[in-house]
């Protein structure tokens, strides 16, 4: 056997918790306290919503049923509110001073939202993601340098993980080929595959998760087309999402609608042709000079 029958995925980065271990760390091992803060903030906000429901304090007599009503011993006290309502709270006190009082408190959604955004932003920084990856609307204006830095942070983190994933997949394919060569594992005694594992070209394509700046790609591809280093149909495929046949048909349609300039006509800097009129004007000037 040339290759092991198992593969091991190691996360990028050093293990700063167990220095002697060859194993990597989990994605959030260094930011568990931030994750706990996010969870606590969310739980407290749920409790805030629960405690912020509508509550109205009313005298207990309004909710109590039974007893004499208006001094009539035959008629009982009817409930003053719907029994299914949980808005009203029975309060005891001086009947003359106790009135219907709204006890509802405002929900501090703005404070909790800002706290959540702060902890989520801190989590983005610690795991190596661009700011705004998890937050819906990152606040504040950013310079061009900050934008490039933020975009490259997620790209670099993704590239580091893809390098390890690529290595793991290649090792897994070689392990499968090792098993396929073991003839004693199959009933007919013949291997499923025979060949040199080292000569196999293993290609891992992560095209389904490409992280590309579309605007930067458009500008770069356009420059390559203008310098005749990329065909036009490939530019349309990459930036407009058309297939090759549709891209070539579009190019033919555009070229058919674009008139070709005359071959022998010179075009000036402002689009005007330089013709005989310019030459005649120069001749008249020369004749005037000879006469004088």
């Amino acid at each position: 056997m040339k290759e092991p029958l198992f593969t091991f995925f190691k996360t990028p980065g050093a293990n700063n918790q167990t220095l002697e271990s060859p194993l990597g760390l989990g994605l959030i091992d260094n930011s568990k306290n931030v994750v706990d803060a996010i969870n606590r903030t969310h739980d407290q906000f749920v409790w805030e919503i629960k405690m912020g429901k509508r509550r109205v304090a009313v005298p207990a007599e309004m909710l109590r049923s039974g007893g004499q009503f208006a001094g009539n011993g035959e008629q009982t006290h009817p409930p003053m509110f719907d029994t299914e309502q949980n808005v009203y709270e029975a309060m005891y006190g001086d009947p003359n001073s106790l009135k219907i009082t709204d006890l509802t408190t405002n929900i501090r959604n703005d404070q909790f939202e800002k706290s959540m955004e702060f902890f989520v932003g801190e989590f983005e920084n610690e795991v190596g993601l661009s700011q705004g990856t998890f937050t819906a609307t990152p606040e504040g204006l950013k310079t061009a340098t900050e934008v490039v830095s933020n975009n490259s942070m997620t790209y670099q983190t993704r590239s580091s993980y893809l390098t390890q994933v690529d290595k793991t997949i290649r090792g897994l394919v070689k392990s499968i080929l090792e098993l396929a060569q073991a003839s004693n594992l199959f009933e007919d005694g013949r291997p499923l595959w025979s060949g040199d594992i080292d000569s196999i070209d293993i290609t891992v394509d992560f095209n389904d998760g490409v992280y590309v700046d579309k605007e930067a790609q458009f500008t770069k591809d356009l420059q390559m087309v203008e310098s005749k280093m990329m065909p036009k149909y490939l530019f349309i495929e990459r930036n407009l999402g058309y297939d090759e046949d549709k891209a070539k048909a579009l190019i033919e349609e555009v070229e058919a609608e674009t008139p070709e300039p005359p071959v022998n006509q010179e075009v000036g800097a402002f689009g005007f042709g330089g013709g005989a009129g310019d030459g005649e004007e120069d001749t008249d000037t020369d004749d005037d000079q000879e006469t004088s």
Side-chain angles (χ1 to χ4, degrees), residues 215-287:
E215 184 177 354
Q217 174 182 297
F218 182 90
T219 304
K220 183 178 179 180
D221 290 351
L222 183 61
Q223 293 174 352
M224 294 183 68
V225 171
E226 293 175 348
S227 60
K228 301 185 183 304
M229 297 178 62
M230 175 186 291
K232 294 180 180 179
Y233 78 87
L234 184 58
F235 171 82
I236 296 176
E237 283 186 48
R238 286 168 54 86
N239 294 276
L240 300 182
Y242 294 168
D243 56 17
E244 182 176 349
D245 295 336
K246 189 173 182 179
K248 290 182 177 180
L250 180 62
I251 294 174
E252 294 177 357
E253 184 179 351
V254 172
E255 291 178 350
E257 295 178 352
T258 305
E260 297 183 359
V263 178
N264 296 326
Q265 183 178 359
E266 296 181 0
V267 181
F270 297 94
F272 299 102
D278 295 339
E280 292 177 357
E281 185 177 345
D282 294 341
T283 303
D284 295 341
T285 305
D286 293 339
D287 293 340

Side-chain angles (χ1 to χ4, degrees), residues 166-184:
D166 181 90
K167 181 180 179 181
T168 304
I169 293 177
R170 291 175 185 273
L172 182 61
V173 172
K174 291 181 178 180
S175 300
I176 294 174
L177 295 178
E178 284 282 3
L179 290 175
Q181 286 182 325
S183 58
N184 58 338

Side-chain angles (χ1 to χ4, degrees), residues 8-258:
F8 174 74
F9 174 77
K10 179 181 180 299
T11 54
N15 189 337
N16 58 356
Q17 296 186 6
T18 308
L19 301 179
E20 65 276 6
S21 174
L23 306 179
L25 290 176
L27 181 64
I28 64 170
D29 282 353
N30 285 327
S31 55
K32 288 182 178 180
N33 57 335
V34 180
V35 175
D36 292 339
I38 295 174
N39 291 332
R40 286 195 300 268
T41 303
H42 182 270
D43 293 341
Q44 291 173 4
F45 183 54
V46 173
W47 180 255
E48 181 84 4
I49 295 175
K50 182 178 179 180
M51 296 303 296
K53 69 177 183 179
R54 184 72 183 275
R55 291 187 302 167
V56 177
V58 297
E61 288 76 9
M62 292 186 178
L63 301 179
R64 185 186 306 164
S65 60
Q68 293 183 354
F69 176 64
N72 190 346
E74 298 179 355
Q75 191 175 15
T76 59
H77 189 298
M80 303 299 294
F81 302 102
D82 189 355
T83 55
E84 295 183 357
Q85 289 283 353
N86 61 354
V87 175
Y88 303 102
E89 301 284 345
M91 302 296 291
Y92 294 93
D94 185 3
N96 297 324
S97 61
L98 186 60
K99 299 180 181 180
I100 298 177
T101 306
D102 190 354
L103 302 179
T104 306
T105 58
N106 296 327
I107 299 176
R108 299 171 297 169
N109 57 321
D110 292 337
Q111 290 83 348
F112 277 100
E113 183 178 357
K114 291 180 180 179
S115 301
M116 183 68 74
E117 287 184 359
F118 174 81
F119 289 127
V120 171
E122 187 177 2
F123 177 73
E124 291 171 346
N125 292 330
E126 292 193 0
V127 298
L129 297 176
S130 304
Q131 290 207 355
T133 302
F134 298 129
T135 53
T137 54
E139 296 180 358
L141 298 177
K142 295 181 175 61
T143 63
T145 305
E146 288 177 306
V147 172
V148 173
S149 176
N150 288 340
N151 290 336
S152 63
M153 183 180 296
T154 299
Y155 180 79
Q156 291 174 2
T157 302
R158 177 182 179 275
S159 299
S160 300
Y161 274 87
L162 289 187
T163 300
Q164 298 297 328
V165 172
D166 181 90
K167 181 180 179 181
T168 304
I169 293 177
R170 291 175 185 273
L172 182 61
V173 172
K174 291 181 178 180
S175 300
I176 294 174
L177 295 178
E178 284 282 3
L179 290 175
Q181 286 182 325
S183 58
N184 58 338
L185 297 179
F186 307 101
E187 295 180 355
D188 56 2
R190 293 184 301 175
L192 294 179
W193 181 84
S194 60
D196 185 12
I197 296 179
D198 295 334
S199 62
I200 297 297
D201 185 15
I202 303 173
T203 303
V204 182
D205 186 9
F206 296 101
N207 191 38
D208 58 339
V210 175
Y211 186 86
V212 179
D213 187 348
K214 295 296 183 182
E215 184 177 354
Q217 174 182 297
F218 182 90
T219 304
K220 183 178 179 180
D221 290 351
L222 183 61
Q223 293 174 352
M224 294 183 68
V225 171
E226 293 175 348
S227 60
K228 301 185 183 304
M229 297 178 62
M230 175 186 291
K232 294 180 180 179
Y233 78 87
L234 184 58
F235 171 82
I236 296 176
E237 283 186 48
R238 286 168 54 86
N239 294 276
L240 300 182
Y242 294 168
D243 56 17
E244 182 176 349
D245 295 336
K246 189 173 182 179
K248 290 182 177 180
L250 180 62
I251 294 174
E252 294 177 357
E253 184 179 351
V254 172
E255 291 178 350
E257 295 178 352
T258 305

